[in-house]
Amino acid sequence: MANLEIVQIPVLNDNYVYLMHNHDDKVTAVIDPAVSKPVLEVLKEKGWTLTHILNTHHHGDHVGGNLDLKDATDCLIVGAAVDAKRIPGIDVEVGDGDTFLFGSAEATIYFTPGHTTGHICYHFANEKILFAGDTLFAMGCGRLFEGTPKQMWQSLNKLRNLPGDTVVYCAHEYTEANGKFALSIEPENNDLQHRMTEVRKKRAMNQPTVPFTIEDERVSNPFLRPESLPLQENIGMTGKEKHEIFAKVRQLKDNF
Ligand code: ZN
Ligand code: FE
């Protein structure tokens, strides 16, 4: 297992940019650099040299710092092959199931379309770390800007089947609003109630609620819980297909 250190950098309104340093090999990646300046500041503070940018998708709040950082550091930019035209400065094009070496640490790429048609996630299986971009949020998921509900359901289903102790780093602090919605459609869920109590405490102290684990999501994220009978009943979807239940939950959240 590689010795990885992750620094969470809050930027813009509610984005998280992550710097990840591999102490064994002295390589450093930034995941979804919305902006460049705070990233360069942390690199300087830490004495790390940026070697990689890992992009999950093409949105400006995920690739906005790409070209500045490449100019400043000559780092390699990794992104989805199918979205190469929309990832500024892309050098390494990856697809579903590909592996990518970050020094001695190996990432597996999952193709997770739905939020955008070219979204990917980075899974460091040995280190139990997932960079989920805008696919999976704490108690939520990304909006369907480009993909279909069925695609997004399949993407989320891949992620929910990862080991429960996988630590998930997503790109936004949307947790409290997501939890309010979750409670509105599954109020009898004890795990959800307890999680929201913790989340409200953290947010009141301006602390991040990210990262979280896959197990946290299995028990409290309504987008991953189409099998929940109370949830099915509460939204009038008893006995429907999982992707149909997911689509209904997404639609209700969009109008919440
Ligand atoms: Zn996005
Ligand atoms: Fe985003």
Side-chain angles (χ1 to χ4, degrees):
M1 199 175 88
N3 180 6
L4 301 181
E5 177 181 345
I6 295 174
V7 181
Q8 184 172 36
I9 312 172
V11 303
L12 307 177
N13 278 336
D14 50 34
N15 277 74
Y16 289 127
V17 172
Y18 300 101
L19 264 182
M20 180 170 67
H21 183 69
N22 185 337
H23 284 281
D24 299 337
D25 310 283
K26 312 295 173 209
V27 285
T28 307
V30 63
I31 295 86
D32 283 350
V35 289
S36 57
K37 202 168 161 243
V39 175
L40 291 168
E41 285 167 6
V42 177
L43 285 167
K44 197 173 172 192
E45 238 170 69
K46 286 284 192 178
W48 295 342
T49 304
L50 191 69
T51 53
H52 299 82
I53 294 174
L54 309 182
N55 286 132
T56 63
H57 66 294
H58 73 89
H59 284 156
D61 63 321
H62 298 254
V63 302
N66 272 24
L67 295 181
D68 262 9
L69 290 169
K70 192 172 182 172
D71 262 2
T73 65
D74 206 24
C75 61
L76 271 185
I77 301 183
V78 184
V82 294
D83 239 351
K85 288 200 176 73
R86 300 197 289 183
I87 306 287
I90 191 168
D91 298 296
V92 181
E93 300 182 15
V94 294
D96 194 44
D98 285 353
T99 55
F100 164 77
L101 279 179
F102 173 61
S104 56
E106 185 181 77
T108 303
I109 310 301
Y110 300 128
F111 185 48
T112 54
H115 176 67
T116 66
T117 49
H119 196 291
I120 55 174
C121 296
Y122 296 84
H123 182 216
F124 291 84
N126 288 332
E127 293 77 14
K128 297 182 183 289
I129 291 168
L130 177 77
F131 292 102
D134 286 358
T135 295
L136 178 63
F137 297 131
M139 295 181 278
C141 72
R143 276 178 192 265
L144 305 184
F145 286 119
E146 299 176 4
T148 65
K150 198 166 187 180
Q151 277 179 322
M152 187 61 149
W153 166 248
Q154 286 165 351
S155 297
L156 289 169
N157 194 42
K158 275 190 214 174
L159 302 185
R160 87 171 173 161
N161 286 321
L162 294 176
D165 57 354
T166 305
V167 179
V168 183
Y169 293 84
C170 68
H172 291 276
E173 178 64 59
Y174 290 157
T175 311
E176 195 166 4
N178 287 342
K180 278 181 195 154
F181 168 71
L183 278 172
S184 79
I185 60 168
E186 207 185 12
E188 54 281 274
N189 181 337
N190 282 319
D191 293 311
L192 174 57
Q193 294 164 7
H194 290 140
R195 188 172 183 189
M196 265 309 270
T197 305
E198 293 308 307
V199 161
R200 287 195 168 107
K201 276 187 210 158
K202 281 188 177 164
R203 293 311 296 152
M205 295 185 290
N206 209 22
Q207 289 172 2
T209 61
V210 182
F212 46 88
T213 68
I214 290 290
E215 182 57 21
D216 291 335
E217 297 316 300
R218 282 185 201 144
V219 298
S220 61
N221 185 330
F223 295 96
L224 301 191
R225 295 176 52 73
E227 293 91 349
S228 161
L229 297 178
L231 183 145
Q232 289 182 6
E233 191 175 325
N234 293 341
I235 64 172
M237 295 293 285
T238 301
K240 299 285 192 204
E241 298 276 340
K242 290 175 199 175
H243 71 91
E244 295 172 326
I245 297 170
F246 166 79
K248 177 75 179 183
V249 175
R250 187 61 257 176
Q251 184 205 334
L252 289 167
K253 174 68 166 71
D254 289 342
N255 297 301
F256 184 65

